[in-house]
Amino acid sequence: MAEMYTAGKLAKLLGVSQGKVKKIIEDENIEPDEVKRNCKYYGDETAEKIRGLLEEE
């Protein structure tokens, strides 16, 4: 199974603040790949998409 990340783990992985990751998710209307117990998780493909959006800033 592929790795799944919360916004906090994504931020750590990408080396940016959690606020920045959450802002991009909100601004781009990125849907979580999975929701468990009201917690949103994002997969590798979504992580790469967010990385690309961060590099555009």
Side-chain angles (χ1 to χ4, degrees):
M1 185 169 164
E3 185 87 29
M4 298 300 279
Y5 307 96
T6 59
K9 284 193 176 181
L10 269 177
K12 193 178 259 190
L13 177 77
L14 301 173
V16 296
S17 71
Q18 187 171 339
K20 221 173 193 175
V21 170
K22 285 186 173 185
K23 184 174 178 359
I24 284 186
I25 288 169
E26 196 174 292
D27 290 351
E28 300 293 325
N29 293 316
I30 297 172
E31 292 296 318
D33 296 310
E34 197 173 311
V35 179
K36 281 187 191 169
R37 294 189 190 100
N38 215 22
C39 214
K40 297 172 184 170
Y41 293 91
Y42 305 91
D44 291 325
E45 203 172 291
T46 306
E48 287 307 310
K49 180 179 180 178
I50 291 170
R51 183 189 312 269
L53 291 166
L54 282 166
E55 288 171 359
E56 288 174 18
E57 286 190 337

